[in-house]
């Protein structure tokens, strides 16, 4: 395997596009496919465009996949136009989406006997950090496979710890991460909604409390979006947390662990989806709690 891998990239959404650009900027040859032609145009000319996913993976050492759901991952790999028969023996699939451990296990089982390896490395950090290669990536997989994808990890992440030798452990870490993120966003919305209801200046509340013990990344980041009412500038859609908090609940049930705060937060995201704001920025929870969306 070459030290500078030839990379195929599947999925150029809000996170995938900047991540692909960061990889290409680090000197790797990246050929990508996305179902949206505009997404391919957004990363040109640094990233080459393929007409379909199978063309993208031809001859690739690493296939990076950044899709939204476990079902999409299965379709990319094993669907009617799936890439699995076209992957090079000895190549590595780098799965960076939040799809849950079950989806990773299905991918590993489906690729068994093909000589293709899986590295599970879900990401956290948001679009701004994706653009600067400053993500957290929670990496799990065989050490030799991780070594192959290391140049990509170095390009995209400022922190990419190996958290397990079995693919799926990265997803388990990400589930814990998403529990915290989902609860913190809901808490930020609830706090600022209460401040607003009490007649306080929410901008001042955000500024003052953001310097004390109540501060958190989500209070600082999403809280600012709440203050600015920047709900149409979608950096992370509310529907993402409908999916991710569902994965949290599923994982908790499997190990019989109570997660009452996560369950409550999940209901807020589900309500937002039902009320038609699932494609808005997830900071819209502030308006949901004020009944003003």
């Amino acid at each position: 395997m070459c030290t500078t891998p030839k990379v195929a990239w599947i999925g150029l959404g809000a996170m995938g596009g900047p991540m692909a650009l960061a990889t290409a900027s680090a000197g790797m040859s990246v050929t990508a496919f996305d179902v949206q032609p505009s997404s391919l145009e957004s990363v040109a000319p640094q990233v080459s465009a393929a007409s379909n996913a199978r063309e993208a993976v031809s001859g690739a050492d690493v296939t990076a996949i950044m899709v939204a759901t476990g079902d999409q991952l299965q379709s990319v790999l094993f669907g009617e136009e799936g890439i699995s028969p076209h992957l090079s023996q000895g190549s590595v699939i780098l799965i960076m989406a939040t799809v849950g451990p079950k989806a990773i296990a299905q991918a590993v089982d489906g690729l068994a006997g093909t000589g293709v390896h899986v590295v599970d490395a879900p990401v956290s950090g948001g679009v701004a950090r994706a653009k600067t290669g400053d993500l957290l990536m929670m990496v799990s997989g065989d050490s030799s496979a991780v070594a192959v994808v290391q140049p990509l990890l170095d390009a995209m992440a400022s922190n990419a710890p190996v958290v397990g030798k079995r693919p799926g452990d990265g997803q388990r870490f990400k589930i814990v991460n998403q529990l915290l993120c989902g609860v913190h966003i809901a808490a930020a919305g609830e706090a600022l909604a209460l401040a607003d209801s009490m007649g306080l200046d929410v901008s001042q509340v955000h500024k003052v409390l953001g310097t004390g013990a109540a501060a958190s990344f989500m209070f600082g980041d999403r809280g600012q979006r709440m203050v600015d009412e920047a709900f149409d500038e979608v950096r992370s859609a509310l529907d993402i947390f409908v999916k991710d908090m569902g994965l949290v609940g599923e994982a908790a049930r499997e190990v019989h662990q109570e997660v009452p705060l996560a369950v409550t937060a999940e209901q807020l995201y589900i309500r937002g989806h039902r009320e038609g704001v699932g494609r808005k920025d997830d900071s819209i929870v502030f308006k949901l709690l004020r009944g003003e969306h």
Side-chain angles (χ1 to χ4, degrees):
M1 190 70 70
C2 57
T3 56
T4 302
K6 179 183 178 183
V7 179
W9 196 286
I10 311 296
L12 295 166
M15 290 287 289
M19 291 163 64
L21 285 171
T23 302
S25 295
M28 282 164 272
S29 172
V30 182
T31 301
F33 175 71
D34 191 279
V35 294
Q36 298 293 335
S38 59
S39 296
L40 289 165
E41 292 168 5
S42 71
V43 296
Q46 296 96 321
V47 174
S48 301
S51 59
N52 57 62
R54 290 178 171 183
E55 178 185 316
V57 305
S58 178
D61 303 307
V62 176
T63 296
I65 301 180
M66 192 61 180
V67 294
T69 68
D71 287 344
Q72 289 178 2
L73 173 64
Q74 296 306 307
S75 179
V76 166
L77 290 173
F78 310 117
E80 187 175 341
E81 300 295 326
I83 63 175
S84 59
H86 299 266
L87 297 168
S88 301
Q89 186 171 16
S91 67
V92 179
I93 295 282
L94 176 61
I95 301 171
M96 301 172 293
T98 303
V99 294
K102 281 187 177 179
I104 298 297
Q106 289 170 349
V108 171
D109 290 345
L111 293 167
T114 65
V116 176
H117 307 282
V118 174
V119 172
D120 167 33
V123 304
S124 180
V127 174
R129 289 172 64 182
K131 290 178 178 178
T132 59
D134 190 29
L135 294 169
L136 165 64
M137 301 182 74
M138 293 151 272
V139 183
S140 61
D142 180 80
S143 58
S144 60
V146 172
V148 172
V149 303
Q150 193 63 52
L152 284 81
L153 304 180
D154 293 342
M156 293 183 285
S158 58
N159 189 17
V162 176
V163 299
K165 293 183 178 180
R166 55 175 181 165
D169 284 342
Q171 296 292 325
R172 294 179 180 90
F173 263 75
K174 184 63 185 292
I175 281 170
V176 176
N177 183 86
Q178 294 308 88
L179 184 155
L180 288 165
C181 289
V183 169
H184 286 174
I185 292 169
E190 186 172 305
L192 291 176
L194 175 61
D196 193 30
S197 294
M198 292 193 299
L200 300 177
D201 180 339
V202 292
S203 179
Q204 185 181 34
V205 169
H206 179 256
K207 181 178 180 180
V208 172
L209 299 188
T211 65
S216 69
F217 174 85
M218 288 302 184
F219 184 71
D221 183 74
R222 301 309 203 274
Q224 187 62 59
R225 298 187 214 171
M226 294 172 191
V227 170
D228 295 339
E229 299 193 1
F231 311 125
D232 292 327
E233 185 183 338
V234 183
R235 301 181 190 176
S236 177
L238 181 138
D239 274 347
I240 291 174
F241 273 96
V242 175
K243 180 215 16 147
D244 288 359
M245 297 306 276
L247 291 173
V248 170
E250 179 183 353
R253 287 189 294 274
E254 287 182 357
V255 295
H256 308 291
Q257 174 61 51
E258 289 185 274
V259 284
L261 297 180
V263 169
T264 301
E266 181 186 15
Q267 291 308 306
L268 179 60
Y269 299 118
I270 290 172
R271 178 160 72 88
H273 175 80
R274 288 175 176 166
E275 294 184 15
V277 296
R279 294 184 179 275
K280 299 283 189 181
D281 191 81
D282 54 33
S283 57
I284 194 74
V285 297
F286 169 68
K287 286 294 187 182
L288 284 171
L289 290 161
R290 291 291 288 124
E292 298 174 354
H293 68 87

